[in-house]
Short mmCIF file of all heavy atoms in Angstrom, two decimals:
data_model
loop_
_atom_site.label_atom_id
_atom_site.label_comp_id
_atom_site.label_asym_id
_atom_site.label_seq_id
_atom_site.Cartn_x
_atom_site.Cartn_y
_atom_site.Cartn_z
N ARG A 120 111.50 93.13 101.91
CA ARG A 120 110.87 94.05 100.96
C ARG A 120 109.95 95.04 101.66
O ARG A 120 109.07 95.64 101.03
CB ARG A 120 110.15 93.25 99.87
CG ARG A 120 111.19 92.50 99.01
CD ARG A 120 110.64 91.88 97.80
NE ARG A 120 109.93 92.80 96.93
CZ ARG A 120 109.40 92.44 95.76
NH1 ARG A 120 109.52 91.20 95.34
NH2 ARG A 120 108.76 93.32 95.02
N GLY A 121 110.13 95.20 102.96
CA GLY A 121 109.46 96.28 103.68
C GLY A 121 108.08 95.95 104.21
O GLY A 121 107.36 96.85 104.67
N CYS A 122 107.67 94.68 104.13
CA CYS A 122 106.35 94.34 104.67
C CYS A 122 106.38 94.38 106.19
O CYS A 122 107.40 94.10 106.81
CB CYS A 122 105.94 92.94 104.22
SG CYS A 122 105.71 92.78 102.45
N ARG A 123 105.24 94.70 106.76
CA ARG A 123 105.09 94.63 108.22
C ARG A 123 104.11 93.53 108.60
O ARG A 123 103.83 93.32 109.77
CB ARG A 123 104.53 95.95 108.76
CG ARG A 123 105.51 97.08 108.65
CD ARG A 123 105.39 98.01 109.86
NE ARG A 123 105.99 99.28 109.52
CZ ARG A 123 105.35 100.44 109.58
NH1 ARG A 123 104.11 100.50 110.01
NH2 ARG A 123 105.96 101.53 109.25
N LEU A 124 103.59 92.87 107.58
CA LEU A 124 102.54 91.87 107.81
C LEU A 124 102.64 90.82 106.72
O LEU A 124 102.87 91.16 105.54
CB LEU A 124 101.18 92.58 107.72
CG LEU A 124 99.92 91.72 107.81
CD1 LEU A 124 99.64 91.33 109.25
CD2 LEU A 124 98.71 92.49 107.26
N VAL A 125 102.50 89.58 107.11
CA VAL A 125 102.32 88.50 106.14
C VAL A 125 100.98 87.86 106.45
O VAL A 125 100.65 87.63 107.62
CB VAL A 125 103.46 87.46 106.22
CG1 VAL A 125 103.19 86.30 105.27
CG2 VAL A 125 104.79 88.09 105.89
N GLU A 126 100.20 87.60 105.41
CA GLU A 126 98.87 87.03 105.63
C GLU A 126 98.63 85.87 104.69
O GLU A 126 99.29 85.74 103.64
CB GLU A 126 97.78 88.12 105.46
CG GLU A 126 97.74 88.76 104.11
CD GLU A 126 96.86 90.01 104.01
OE1 GLU A 126 96.46 90.56 105.06
OE2 GLU A 126 96.57 90.43 102.88
N LEU A 127 97.67 85.03 105.05
CA LEU A 127 97.31 83.89 104.20
C LEU A 127 95.91 83.43 104.58
O LEU A 127 95.42 83.71 105.68
CB LEU A 127 98.33 82.75 104.37
CG LEU A 127 98.53 82.17 105.77
CD1 LEU A 127 97.57 81.01 106.04
CD2 LEU A 127 99.97 81.70 105.92
N LEU A 128 95.28 82.75 103.65
CA LEU A 128 94.00 82.10 103.92
C LEU A 128 94.22 80.60 103.88
O LEU A 128 94.88 80.09 102.96
CB LEU A 128 92.96 82.47 102.86
CG LEU A 128 92.38 83.89 102.89
CD1 LEU A 128 93.24 84.82 102.05
CD2 LEU A 128 90.94 83.91 102.39
N THR A 129 93.69 79.91 104.87
CA THR A 129 93.77 78.45 104.85
C THR A 129 92.36 77.91 105.11
O THR A 129 91.64 78.44 105.96
CB THR A 129 94.81 77.93 105.88
OG1 THR A 129 94.73 76.50 105.95
CG2 THR A 129 94.63 78.49 107.25
N HIS A 130 91.98 76.91 104.33
CA HIS A 130 90.60 76.41 104.42
C HIS A 130 90.30 75.96 105.84
O HIS A 130 91.16 75.40 106.52
CB HIS A 130 90.39 75.26 103.43
CG HIS A 130 88.96 75.00 103.14
ND1 HIS A 130 88.19 74.14 103.88
CD2 HIS A 130 88.13 75.52 102.21
CE1 HIS A 130 86.95 74.12 103.41
NE2 HIS A 130 86.89 74.97 102.39
N ARG A 131 89.07 76.20 106.28
CA ARG A 131 88.67 75.86 107.65
C ARG A 131 88.94 74.41 107.98
O ARG A 131 89.21 74.08 109.14
CB ARG A 131 87.17 76.11 107.82
CG ARG A 131 86.81 77.56 107.86
CD ARG A 131 85.30 77.74 107.85
NE ARG A 131 84.79 77.58 109.20
CZ ARG A 131 84.00 78.48 109.80
NH1 ARG A 131 83.64 79.56 109.16
NH2 ARG A 131 83.58 78.29 111.01
N THR A 132 88.84 73.55 106.97
CA THR A 132 89.01 72.12 107.24
C THR A 132 90.48 71.72 107.38
O THR A 132 90.77 70.60 107.81
CB THR A 132 88.40 71.28 106.10
OG1 THR A 132 89.03 71.66 104.87
CG2 THR A 132 86.90 71.50 105.99
N ARG A 133 91.41 72.62 107.04
CA ARG A 133 92.84 72.27 107.10
C ARG A 133 93.38 72.57 108.50
O ARG A 133 94.21 73.47 108.70
CB ARG A 133 93.63 73.06 106.06
CG ARG A 133 93.23 72.76 104.61
CD ARG A 133 94.34 73.24 103.69
NE ARG A 133 93.95 73.43 102.31
CZ ARG A 133 94.05 72.50 101.36
NH1 ARG A 133 94.49 71.30 101.65
NH2 ARG A 133 93.69 72.79 100.11
N VAL A 134 92.93 71.78 109.46
CA VAL A 134 93.28 72.02 110.86
C VAL A 134 94.78 71.82 111.08
O VAL A 134 95.42 72.57 111.83
CB VAL A 134 92.44 71.11 111.78
CG1 VAL A 134 92.82 71.31 113.24
CG2 VAL A 134 90.95 71.41 111.57
N ASP A 135 95.36 70.85 110.40
CA ASP A 135 96.81 70.63 110.53
C ASP A 135 97.59 71.84 110.03
O ASP A 135 98.60 72.24 110.62
CB ASP A 135 97.25 69.40 109.73
CG ASP A 135 96.83 68.10 110.41
OD1 ASP A 135 96.32 68.16 111.56
OD2 ASP A 135 97.00 67.04 109.79
N ALA A 136 97.12 72.41 108.92
CA ALA A 136 97.80 73.59 108.37
C ALA A 136 97.72 74.75 109.35
O ALA A 136 98.70 75.48 109.56
CB ALA A 136 97.17 73.99 107.03
N GLN A 137 96.56 74.91 109.99
CA GLN A 137 96.41 76.01 110.95
C GLN A 137 97.37 75.82 112.13
O GLN A 137 97.96 76.79 112.63
CB GLN A 137 94.96 76.10 111.41
CG GLN A 137 94.07 76.67 110.31
CD GLN A 137 92.66 76.10 110.34
OE1 GLN A 137 92.10 75.87 111.40
NE2 GLN A 137 92.09 75.87 109.17
N ARG A 138 97.53 74.58 112.57
CA ARG A 138 98.46 74.30 113.67
C ARG A 138 99.90 74.60 113.24
O ARG A 138 100.70 75.17 113.98
CB ARG A 138 98.30 72.82 114.08
CG ARG A 138 98.70 72.55 115.51
CD ARG A 138 98.45 71.11 115.91
NE ARG A 138 97.06 70.72 115.89
CZ ARG A 138 96.53 69.69 115.21
NH1 ARG A 138 97.31 68.91 114.49
NH2 ARG A 138 95.26 69.41 115.25
N PHE A 139 100.21 74.23 112.01
CA PHE A 139 101.54 74.47 111.44
C PHE A 139 101.84 75.98 111.40
O PHE A 139 102.89 76.43 111.87
CB PHE A 139 101.57 73.86 110.03
CG PHE A 139 102.68 74.32 109.14
CD1 PHE A 139 103.98 73.87 109.33
CD2 PHE A 139 102.42 75.19 108.08
CE1 PHE A 139 105.01 74.30 108.49
CE2 PHE A 139 103.44 75.61 107.24
CZ PHE A 139 104.73 75.17 107.45
N TYR A 140 100.90 76.78 110.88
CA TYR A 140 101.15 78.22 110.80
C TYR A 140 101.20 78.86 112.18
O TYR A 140 101.99 79.78 112.41
CB TYR A 140 100.08 78.90 109.93
CG TYR A 140 100.23 78.55 108.46
CD1 TYR A 140 99.23 77.86 107.78
CD2 TYR A 140 101.36 78.93 107.75
CE1 TYR A 140 99.37 77.54 106.43
CE2 TYR A 140 101.51 78.60 106.42
CZ TYR A 140 100.51 77.91 105.76
OH TYR A 140 100.66 77.59 104.44
#
Side-chain angles (χ1 to χ4, degrees):
Chain A
R120 293 189 56 178
C122 295
R123 291 216 199 123
L124 175 77
V125 176
E126 60 191 14
L127 59 90
L128 288 89
T129 173
H130 199 271
R131 288 173 83 127
T132 58
R133 297 198 199 268
V134 178
D135 286 353
Q137 287 147 38
R138 205 177 296 125
F139 163 75
Y140 289 116

